[in-house]
Amino acid sequence: VTDFEQFKQPIAYGKAEILYWEQDIVLLAAGNMVKTADDVRCMLKEKGYFVSLVNARFLKPFDEMMIQKCAKNHKLLVTLEENVLKGGFGEGISCYASECQLAIEVLNIALPDDYVEHGSVRILQAEAGIDAETVAERILSFYGNMR
């Protein structure tokens, strides 16, 4: 279990925070999904992948310079948010990457645009496909199809 206290960079408006910097895959997570992304990173590392983790910190405005930096060093950028995709953080990142013609694939992990029942957060995340195990499987599948 990662103690994110060790990272605590000063907060600058609209700027993301690098937690781990490697290559190939970068996880760009927002809010509660940073912890999930850390778990996903560990799972992918166990399988031999090189994975960066960035705490987005801000959804709007998102850190455009960080997206540019990620595109230079990675093949796949995965956004993780506990929000619906439509009109959300991931969709904004995808549009930005497309408009700037960045040489990086983008995979968005978000809630389905549907009613989500009340209940245990862990169970609901699994049902919505935003739990660490499901996210890792989706990334591996997507990344495998890119090669």
Side-chain angles (χ1 to χ4, degrees):
V1 177
T2 302
D3 175 16
F4 292 116
E5 291 296 317
Q6 66 182 320
F7 297 104
K8 287 285 184 174
Q9 298 171 16
I11 295 175
Y13 180 72
K15 295 297 176 190
E17 171 187 42
I18 296 171
L19 302 179
Y20 298 99
W21 193 252
E22 293 184 354
Q23 61 190 28
D24 295 334
I25 300 171
V26 58
L27 307 176
L28 182 63
N32 292 333
M33 293 301 286
V34 173
K35 173 62 179 113
T36 301
D38 186 51
D39 293 341
V40 169
R41 180 181 180 276
C42 291
M43 290 176 194
L44 297 176
K45 294 284 294 168
E46 286 176 6
K47 295 187 180 293
Y49 292 88
F50 297 99
V51 185
S52 297
L53 174 57
V54 176
N55 177 0
R57 284 189 167 174
F58 294 87
L59 305 181
K60 289 185 182 179
F62 59 81
D63 189 344
E64 293 178 358
M65 296 298 287
M66 182 63 73
I67 304 307
Q68 296 277 345
K69 182 176 182 174
C70 289
K72 289 177 184 170
N73 296 15
H74 300 85
K75 297 173 188 149
L76 174 63
L77 185 150
V78 181
T79 66
L80 294 98
E81 64 185 302
E82 210 169 39
N83 185 23
V84 295
L85 181 61
K86 193 173 221 170
F89 173 68
E91 186 176 70
I93 300 295
S94 292
C95 288
Y96 178 78
S98 176
E99 288 170 4
C100 294
Q101 299 179 346
L102 300 179
I104 191 167
E105 294 285 334
V106 179
L107 172 63
N108 300 122
I109 305 294
L111 291 171
D113 194 6
D114 200 4
Y115 178 76
V116 177
E117 291 286 335
H118 293 276
S120 163
V121 172
R122 204 164 193 68
I123 292 170
L124 294 175
Q125 286 174 331
E127 288 178 0
I130 62 168
D131 62 303
E133 292 80 12
T134 305
V135 170
E137 288 171 13
R138 285 186 61 192
I139 292 170
L140 290 171
S141 175
F142 190 91
Y143 193 75
N145 290 329
M146 285 175 38
R147 295 181 174 200

